[in-house]
């Protein structure tokens, strides 16, 4: 299956899942020796804290409820696989698992990525928000929200807007660096087009944030980013980590948001993000592929970047109608994207 087909299948499955929350937001499972009684939920919550894989950052169980039979749940954690499968347990005796209704909070891992970051010496950079005090443009229909809900949602959309805004500069720099490295013209052209897409995403996100805030918010000046020597391995690593993985996770998160969103302005912005970021993910993968074919050290650098990549936090669930669904629902979608789209595609790239 091609990477594009993988992403298309993932999107159709995710969006077809509809808005129902079902009986469980997620489940948390822990291993016990076969034949032992399952621990109480309180004890299980302690056992579940602190798990980390490359697919899933450190997690905290914020709410744990009733025991549920593992045959009643489709386990979605740990990149989509059951961590206690026979033969892969690391335990010295036969184990079974006990599962509970749960909500998770995911903490940022070593290198959590969403969208194409503008990196300065490795660290992502953004502008800060300027609150103009001018009237906000037309945007979400927010009458039903309390003041606190509006403020939380405005914070969230401002953060997204700043990352979208930083991506404009990241793609402009990518286009210049690809040009300097002698990359195929098609890659340079797609990078410039992506910068223009990100300008639209930033504009949409600032418009939504402004409506929620009650006055217009815009990006302040972008802080200067230190000039750097153009280097194909750095471009390749950023194109895999921020370009392919980060943009695919951005698509997955937008799909999770869209599934629950009802506000027309929010839905329109998310649909545009899904369409454009899918293309940006494909561009990131193509740049990484080109680098592997042209630079001896690229493959090992990409393998190392993949090993250190982790899912970003799922955010707060402050208003599903306006793009902030329950974090457990977002986390489940991000994990599914990782296991069904990102991991197989990167493994193929590294094995080619
Ligand atoms: Fe974007
Ligand atoms: Fe993007």
């Amino acid at each position: 299956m091609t990477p594009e087909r993988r992403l298309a299948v993932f999107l159709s499955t995710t969006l077809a899942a509809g808005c129902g929350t079902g009986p469980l937001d997620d489940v948390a499972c822990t291993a016990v020796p076969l034949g032992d009684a399952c621990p109480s939920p309180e004890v299980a919550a302690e056992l579940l804290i602190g798990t980390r894989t490359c697919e899933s950052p450190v997690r905290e169980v914020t709410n744990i409820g009733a025991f549920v039979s593992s045959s009643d749940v489709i386990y979605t954690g740990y990149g989509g696989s059951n961590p206690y499968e026979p033969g892969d347990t690391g335990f010295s005796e036969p184990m079974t698992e006990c599962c509970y209704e749960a909500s998770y909070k995911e903490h940022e891992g070593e290198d959590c990525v969403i969208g194409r970051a503008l990196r300065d010496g490795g660290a992502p950079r953004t502008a800060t928000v300027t609150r103009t005090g001018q009237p906000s443009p037309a945007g979400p229909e927010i009458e039903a929200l309390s003041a606190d809900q509006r403020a939380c949602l405005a914070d969230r959309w401002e953060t997204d807007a700043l990352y979208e805004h930083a991506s404009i500069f990241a793609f402009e720099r990518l286009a210049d660096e690809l040009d300097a490295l002698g990359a195929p013209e098609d890659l340079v052209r797609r990078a410039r087009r992506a910068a223009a897409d990100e300008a639209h995403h930033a504009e949409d996100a600032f418009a939504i944030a402004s409506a929620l805030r009650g006055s217009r918010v815009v990006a302040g000046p972008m802080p200067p980013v230190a000039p750097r020597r153009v280097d194909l391995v750095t471009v390749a690593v950023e194109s895999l980590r921020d370009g392919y993985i980060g943009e695919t996770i951005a698509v997955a998160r937008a799909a999770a948001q869209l599934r629950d969103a009802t506000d027309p302005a929010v839905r329109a912005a998310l649909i545009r993000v899904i369409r454009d970021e899918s293309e940006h993910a494909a561009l990131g993968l193509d740049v990484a592929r080109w680098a592997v074919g042209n630079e001896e050290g690229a493959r090992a650098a990409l393998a190392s970047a993949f090993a250190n990549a982790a899912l970003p936090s799922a955010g707060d669930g402050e208003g599903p109608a306006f793009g902030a669904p329950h974090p457990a629902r977002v986390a489940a979608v991000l994990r599914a994207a990782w296991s069904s789209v990102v991991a197989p595609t990167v493994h193929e790239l590294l094995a080619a």
Side-chain angles (χ1 to χ4, degrees), residues 11-347:
L11 279 173
S12 64
T13 310
T14 300
L15 294 173
C19 300
T21 54
L24 303 175
D25 286 312
D26 206 339
V27 294
C29 300
T30 188
V32 297
L34 194 61
D36 278 13
C38 285
S40 68
E42 292 72 27
V43 172
E46 293 299 316
L47 297 173
L48 288 156
I49 291 173
T51 305
R52 184 189 188 282
T53 69
C54 287
E55 291 83 359
S56 183
V58 175
R59 58 180 54 194
E60 177 187 341
V61 177
T62 55
N63 186 19
I64 192 151
F67 175 80
V68 288
S69 159
S70 57
S71 62
D72 290 341
V73 300
I74 299 169
Y75 190 74
T76 57
Y78 303 87
S81 62
N82 182 328
Y84 307 119
E85 276 168 1
D88 188 30
T89 64
F91 295 107
S92 57
E93 56 186 317
M95 305 291 280
T96 186
E97 64 178 0
C98 299
C99 298
Y100 305 82
E101 296 182 19
S103 301
Y104 292 125
K105 181 172 182 182
E106 303 216 349
H107 297 279
E108 293 204 347
E110 289 169 23
D111 213 343
C112 301
V113 284
I114 188 156
R116 186 176 269 273
L118 176 65
R119 292 187 184 266
D120 186 8
R125 292 274 178 269
T126 66
T128 51
V129 161
T130 299
R131 303 211 167 118
T132 66
Q134 297 164 356
S136 59
E141 295 158 2
I142 55 173
E143 290 74 18
L145 296 172
S146 70
D148 280 352
Q149 285 174 316
R150 287 181 202 188
C152 285
L153 285 162
D155 286 347
R156 187 186 167 114
W157 279 97
E158 281 178 0
T159 302
D160 282 0
L162 289 174
Y163 280 108
E164 299 284 12
H165 173 259
S167 292
I168 304 169
F169 297 84
F171 276 114
E172 284 173 350
R173 181 171 68 179
L174 173 67
D176 290 344
E177 292 187 338
L178 287 172
D179 205 13
L181 289 164
E185 178 53 32
D186 174 61
L187 295 180
V188 179
R189 190 178 41 77
R190 287 161 67 194
R192 298 221 187 276
R193 196 173 59 211
D197 295 338
E198 300 295 3
H200 285 299
H201 302 170
E203 193 180 324
D204 286 348
F206 275 120
I208 292 168
S210 298
L212 290 159
R213 189 67 72 197
S215 67
R216 191 179 200 91
V217 291
V218 297
M222 195 71 199
V225 172
R228 66 182 188 184
R229 196 171 60 83
V230 181
D231 159 34
L232 182 49
V233 170
T234 301
V235 168
V237 164
E238 288 184 356
S239 290
L240 181 75
R241 179 182 55 195
D242 303 335
Y244 178 63
I245 301 175
E247 298 276 19
T248 302
I249 294 303
V251 170
R253 193 181 70 143
Q257 290 173 283
L258 181 62
R259 200 166 58 169
D260 291 348
T262 54
D263 182 86
V266 170
R267 288 185 64 82
L270 292 171
I271 288 167
R272 177 179 239 167
V273 162
I274 290 171
R275 182 194 65 199
D276 295 346
E277 311 293 25
S278 297
E279 288 183 13
H280 303 173
L283 170 61
L285 190 61
D286 287 345
V287 171
R289 252 195 223 115
W290 172 72
V292 165
N294 286 275
E295 174 67 50
E296 210 175 308
R299 191 188 304 271
L302 294 180
S304 167
F306 180 54
N308 285 317
L311 288 171
S313 114
D316 303 319
E318 296 288 346
F322 298 91
H326 192 290
R329 282 169 61 72
V330 179
V333 172
L334 299 190
R335 289 194 297 269
W338 188 282
S339 60
S340 68
V341 182
V342 169
T345 301
V346 177
H347 285 137

